[in-house]
Amino acid sequence: MPERFPKQLISGYRTFAAHRLPTEQARYNELSDIGQSPEVMVIGCCDSRVSPEVIFDAGPGELFVVRNVANLVPPYAPDGEAHGVSSALEFAVQVLKVKHIVVLGHAQCGGIKTLVHPSAPLSPSDFIGKWMSLLTPTRDATPRQPGESDSDYITRMEKRAVSTSLDNLMTFPCVKIQVERGKMQLHGAYFGVAHGSLSILDRATGDFQTVTQTLPVGYESARPHSASH
């Protein structure tokens, strides 16, 4: 065993192999044979505190996840350059035929904080600075309100970033066509790290509505996965 490999990962794998894998082995075998067919794509932040699979209690093969700094979706740009998010999006829509795309923002986002307060060692010439410049128009169109605290403004920008990514999704022809045909839905969500809260964006009002821990009527049978997998 290579000595430099993180011991916590070895320990974590052994726990997984001893406890979770036995209950899901049949599901892994099935996925190995038939391939993946998730109905939901989640575009989340690479922040280690915000794992979509953990937040949504998803089993193997249930979520197609792409993560990047500040959970951003760039506008459609077929310019011949390498585009990681765009290629993952294209695969999810064109190959996997996902029915839902969720942009998952979160509290205390370091990327958004950098956008609001550019500081060393980051600068506009760094990778993060260039990436976060995707939100410069959003920031400029979202001025600080009189008396608004710094933390409240950053929270508002975190949520505005979700809306911007949803707008950018619609610049992709493959997404726009599926949405207009009613074969795909786009969603915005926001995770509060401190309390583990989840809120969902109401596109009509622009407000985020908190999800209660008690399932609404009709959702009792809509658990993400079951032990039978």
Side-chain angles (χ1 to χ4, degrees), residues 25-95:
Q25 185 65 72
R27 178 60 173 163
Y28 278 108
N29 288 337
E30 179 186 15
L31 290 170
S32 177
D33 290 337
I34 68 175
Q36 62 172 326
S37 57
E39 294 189 351
V40 180
M41 176 184 190
V42 179
I43 300 171
C45 183
C46 48
D47 191 303
S48 60
R49 301 166 294 180
V50 191
S51 169
E53 294 88 346
V54 172
I55 293 170
F56 298 115
D57 190 27
E62 293 181 340
L63 297 179
F64 184 75
V65 178
V66 59
R67 299 173 70 173
N68 62 67
V69 174
N71 41 268
L72 300 185
V73 176
Y76 178 67
D79 54 13
E81 299 296 328
H83 294 279
V85 176
S86 300
S87 62
L89 178 63
E90 182 179 67
F91 185 80
V93 176
Q94 301 283 59
V95 179

Side-chain angles (χ1 to χ4, degrees), residues 20 24 40-45 49-60 62-67 100-106 187-192 196-201 211 215 219 222-226:
R20 182 168 178 176
E24 297 183 330
V40 180
M41 176 184 190
V42 179
I43 300 171
C45 183
R49 301 166 294 180
V50 191
S51 169
E53 294 88 346
V54 172
I55 293 170
F56 298 115
D57 190 27
E62 293 181 340
L63 297 179
F64 184 75
V65 178
V66 59
R67 299 173 70 173
H100 301 270
I101 300 177
V102 178
V103 177
L104 177 64
H106 71 96
H187 313 273
Y190 182 84
F191 182 71
S197 60
L198 182 72
S199 53
I200 307 300
L201 175 63
V211 176
L215 289 172
Y219 277 73
R223 292 287 295 155
H225 64 275
S226 66

Side-chain angles (χ1 to χ4, degrees), residues 164-175:
T164 296
S165 286
L166 290 171
D167 291 340
N168 287 345
L169 279 171
M170 288 297 287
T171 67
F172 287 79
C174 63
V175 173

Side-chain angles (χ1 to χ4, degrees), residues 21 25 109 120 122 131 136 154 158 168 201 221:
L21 182 58
Q25 185 65 72
C109 180
L122 304 176
W131 177 248
T136 298
I154 290 175
E158 290 165 347
N168 287 345
L201 175 63
S221 62

Side-chain angles (χ1 to χ4, degrees), residues 92-156:
V93 176
Q94 301 283 59
V95 179
L96 299 179
K97 311 293 184 183
V98 295
K99 297 179 181 179
H100 301 270
I101 300 177
V102 178
V103 177
L104 177 64
H106 71 96
Q108 291 88 47
C109 180
I112 299 297
K113 185 176 180 180
T114 298
L115 177 74
V116 175
H117 298 298
S119 59
L122 304 176
S123 72
S125 62
D126 290 316
F127 287 113
I128 294 178
K130 290 181 178 180
W131 177 248
M132 293 308 301
S133 69
L134 291 168
L135 283 178
T136 298
T138 301
R139 181 196 62 192
D140 294 345
T142 312
R144 191 187 299 262
Q145 297 174 348
E148 186 175 30
S149 69
D150 194 60
S151 61
D152 286 346
Y153 179 62
I154 290 175
T155 297
R156 193 153 59 91

